[in-house]
Amino acid sequence: MSQTVLYHFLTAVPEAAAIWSALLVSAFGLLAVLVARPDRDGAADLEPDPVDAEALHRADLARYADEVAVAAAGAAQTARRRRERWLAVQDEAERAWVAFDEAEAAARRLAGAAALPAPRTPHTPSEYAARERWLHHAAMAAHWRGDLTARQLADVLAHRNGWDPRRHPAEQEIVLARTIRDGRRAAWEAAAERERQAWRDAELAADAARTLAAETYAAAAAVRPSPAPRVASASRVPVPTVVRGARWRPARVG
């Protein structure tokens, strides 16, 4: 009995070993396939499709062209507004210069008349009161014309900063004309500075608009498809013309 069991054991061991060996080989092969397969798939995913890459590139170019076109339109509008602003400020500076030139001419005329002796008037309280009324009236009129500021008018009415109502009206007119001239000069200088600043702003806006316009043109050219290359036409072989009615005749001999 023991010999029979030993015999079956010895005959079954090689078969079991062969089966286990086959199972192990299959398991290792399947494991190798599973390990190597994701790498192949990942490598395939990493390779970009040329058609999709070209489409994405063209979509990015189109989006950039649209953004640059919007920016260029905004820059052109800004440049137009700043140019209009500069023209308006330029007109203001020219009007300020004309007003200053008129005040300068009036001050020169009055300065020339100052060389003449002042008319003699009696130094009475009524005369001084009349001179004060004249000064106040002239100062109020200059203030309403915009030639004197509220602070300057207050100085005249309070007799401060060199305003003396006891002077002769001819002398007061000269002082008033010089004050008006100085005020208009200051207004013209301020307007000229505003004009220069507006011109600089307009130039900067125009440069930005020109740069964006050129960038817009370049972006639009990049989006447009390139023209297909022309195929060279085949050289034509000249065909001899045949005259109607002409027939081929054999040459006569003799």
Side-chain angles (χ1 to χ4, degrees), residues 163-183:
W163 294 102
D164 188 0
R166 295 173 299 177
R167 291 180 178 178
H168 192 273
E171 297 178 356
Q172 293 174 354
E173 189 176 7
I174 294 174
V175 175
L176 184 61
R178 290 175 178 173
T179 303
I180 294 174
R181 178 200 60 190
D182 296 341

Side-chain angles (χ1 to χ4, degrees), residues 65-177:
D66 293 339
E67 293 176 356
V68 173
V70 172
Q77 186 175 3
T78 301
R80 185 164 50 252
R81 286 199 308 268
R82 291 190 178 181
R83 177 174 175 78
E84 293 173 355
R85 171 63 179 166
W86 168 61
L87 293 175
V89 175
Q90 188 180 31
D91 293 339
E92 294 177 1
E94 290 179 356
R95 289 194 297 269
W97 164 256
V98 171
F100 164 66
D101 188 57
E102 293 175 353
E104 177 68 21
R108 283 198 302 267
R109 287 194 303 268
L110 293 175
L116 300 175
R120 293 182 178 276
T121 56
H123 298 279
T124 60
S126 60
E127 174 65 21
Y128 288 133
R131 293 181 180 184
E132 184 177 3
R133 285 194 303 270
W134 186 95
L135 177 60
H136 292 176
H137 177 74
M140 289 291 295
H143 174 68
W144 287 115
R145 289 195 309 267
D147 293 330
L148 288 182
T149 63
R151 183 185 294 266
Q152 289 173 332
L153 178 61
D155 291 340
V156 172
L157 298 179
H159 308 156
R160 295 191 301 260
N161 294 330
W163 294 102
D164 188 0
R166 295 173 299 177
R167 291 180 178 178
H168 192 273
E171 297 178 356
Q172 293 174 354
E173 189 176 7
I174 294 174
V175 175
L176 184 61

Side-chain angles (χ1 to χ4, degrees), residues 18 23 51 53 55 75 86 98 103 115 189 192 194 207 246 253:
L23 291 175
V51 178
W86 168 61
V98 171
E189 291 176 351
R194 289 195 301 270
D207 290 341
V253 180

Side-chain angles (χ1 to χ4, degrees), residues 223-249:
V223 172
R224 287 195 299 267
S226 57
R230 295 181 178 179
V231 179
S233 59
S235 60
R236 296 181 178 180
V237 179
V239 180
T241 58
V242 179
V243 181
R244 289 186 178 181
R247 295 182 180 178
W248 178 81
R249 294 179 180 180

